[in-house]
Amino acid sequence: MTPTRVLVLNSGSSSVKYQLLDMRDGSRLAMGIVERIGEGSSRLRHTPLTTGEPREWTGAVADHEAALKAVAEELAKDGLGLDSPELAAIGHRVVHGGQRFTEPTVVDDKVLAEIERLIPVAPLHNPANLVGLRTARALRPDLPQVAVFDTAFHTTMPESAARYAIDVETADQHRIRRYGFHGTSHAYVSRATAKLLGRAPEDVNVIVLHLGNGASASAVRGGRCVDTSMGLTPLEGLVMGTRSGDVDPAVIFHLMRVGGMSTDEIDTLLNKRSGLVGLCGDNDMREIRRRIDEGDEQARLAFDIYIHRLKKYIGAYYAVLGTVDAIAFTAGVGENAAPVREAAIAGLEALGAAVDPALNAVRADGPRLISPADARVAVAVVPTDEELEIATQTYALVGKNSRAITGE
Ligand code: AMP
């Protein structure tokens, strides 16, 4: 029997999200999340998608190892256990792959050491990802574990886009450059957009707007990323739910010298108390729209600042790409917030982009066009699917390796 299942693990600092997929057709067999790991009242929600009802329990889950064991037990109850011969591999989301990892990679001791070496540039994410990798390896040492990096899709950026204009020696010494994030989503959505247009990814230029609680834009030329809005960390670029995106770096010196704030306080301010939440107290676009409808000026201004930044990036990526075939909206805000799409594209008619209000108002699950039929630039809503992309890349790599071994 050829194993066809892939378990996708997304290990965060206090949570593990997972999905089990069947790669014959990309269908989901089960999905779930363990939250508040290491806290007294951890919670596991498990949804078997082919059999049975969703299950949930709260209790103490001490660490990631205990969390993964709990996940394995839940899967086993549905006959989908980690010991199943049908499991081909485990695909792990790893946030930072630096310049070293340009592709999905089968994890061995050397790869783990490299991911560990990148902790200084991804102090929040890579340690949790590593714990997930090590734990899964210990549970199934014989199974290929594949790391799929959030930065990998962006490693095709030319140096002119990837470098900051700061002293080269200092930058190189501290590995300071623009890495970009959400790469799995940008890769998936840019390809799915080409498919929606009935064209090959190599033949289209796409601006992808991943607008979730975190948000980033990318310019994709012929399937390869040539620029993206996040940089050394996911703080740069667009206005996000709680992150400021671009600010003059001198704001930081000012807050230190004049505001008397510490480095950690400023870090928290810009990452957790800024963006939409900093501007109006809410980071959920639904709530912001509701407040705007009630005449709330603060919510209106937050929305306007969000849209203004978005427009600047769309304009910049038109200039970077030269010709644009499509603009694709994705993630929680991009897929659901029609007013954001309408406002972001408003006034771009001279650049060939427009939104048809009736199409924009349609709520649907799949990829769809929202631009008028005669528009030069297609505007699309393309739901992202990072788990499917991680599973696809994992399965392709494992398949390639096993063919190499068997000589097929
Ligand atoms: P994500 O990080 O992709 O899960 O996106 C989460 C964000 O999507 C939330 O913080 C909301 O701002 C936004 N969102 C989700 N559903 C809707 C909706 N129906 N309308 C507007 N915004 C939404």
Side-chain angles (χ1 to χ4, degrees), residues 212-214 283-286 331-333 336-337 363:
N213 199 28
N283 61 336
D284 192 314
M285 194 52 82
R286 285 165 286 202
V333 175
N336 296 298
R363 300 195 65 88

Side-chain angles (χ1 to χ4, degrees), residues 10 12 54 135 175 188 192 288 369 395:
N10 183 351
T135 310
R175 287 180 285 176
Y188 176 84
I288 291 170
L369 291 174
Y395 196 59

Side-chain angles (χ1 to χ4, degrees), residues 124-322:
L124 294 181
H125 296 104
N126 275 27
N129 301 157
L130 271 168
V131 173
L133 275 165
R134 291 202 169 104
T135 310
R137 253 184 121 202
L139 279 179
R140 274 297 303 269
D142 55 316
L143 201 64
Q145 310 274 338
V146 176
V148 178
F149 299 91
D150 249 21
T151 46
F153 184 61
H154 304 302
T155 54
T156 53
M157 279 197 288
E159 286 294 283
S160 53
R163 278 202 177 262
Y164 293 107
I166 62 174
D167 173 66
V168 171
E169 231 172 86
T170 309
D172 288 349
Q173 184 189 348
H174 297 288
R175 287 180 285 176
I176 294 173
R177 57 189 283 120
R178 308 191 56 256
Y179 294 100
F181 298 89
H182 290 148
T184 308
S185 176
H186 287 283
Y188 176 84
V189 170
S190 56
R191 265 206 332 271
T193 305
K195 193 170 167 206
L196 181 67
L197 300 183
R199 294 166 68 181
E202 298 73 42
D203 294 337
V204 293
N205 292 351
V206 187
I207 297 173
V208 178
L209 304 171
H210 177 111
L211 310 177
N213 199 28
S216 63
S218 68
V220 182
R221 174 181 290 134
R224 291 163 68 87
C225 178
V226 292
D227 203 355
T228 194
S229 60
M230 285 177 166
L232 173 74
T233 76
L235 182 56
E236 192 180 341
L238 301 174
V239 175
M240 309 179 211
T242 66
R243 295 183 207 132
S244 62
D246 297 335
V247 291
D248 180 344
V251 167
I252 296 162
F253 319 141
H254 185 80
L255 288 172
M256 291 175 115
R257 291 187 187 124
V258 180
M261 288 175 76
S262 70
T263 314
D264 285 349
E265 283 169 341
I266 299 170
D267 192 327
T268 304
L269 172 79
L270 296 180
N271 275 296
K272 304 225 164 89
R273 296 199 290 120
S274 295
L276 292 170
V277 89
L279 289 167
C280 74
D282 272 309
N283 61 336
D284 192 314
M285 194 52 82
R286 285 165 286 202
E287 187 56 20
I288 291 170
R289 289 304 310 175
R290 196 190 59 71
R291 285 172 55 186
I292 292 172
D293 288 344
E294 288 178 352
D296 186 321
E297 285 302 318
Q298 205 187 1
R300 173 89 250 167
L301 180 60
F303 183 83
D304 290 348
I305 294 169
Y306 182 95
I307 296 296
H308 180 72
R309 184 81 54 82
L310 195 51
K311 264 190 199 294
K312 286 214 288 196
Y313 271 92
I314 295 171
Y317 290 169
Y318 258 93
V320 166
L321 289 169

Side-chain angles (χ1 to χ4, degrees), residues 25 82 239 397:
D25 57 2
L82 292 193
V239 175
L397 181 61

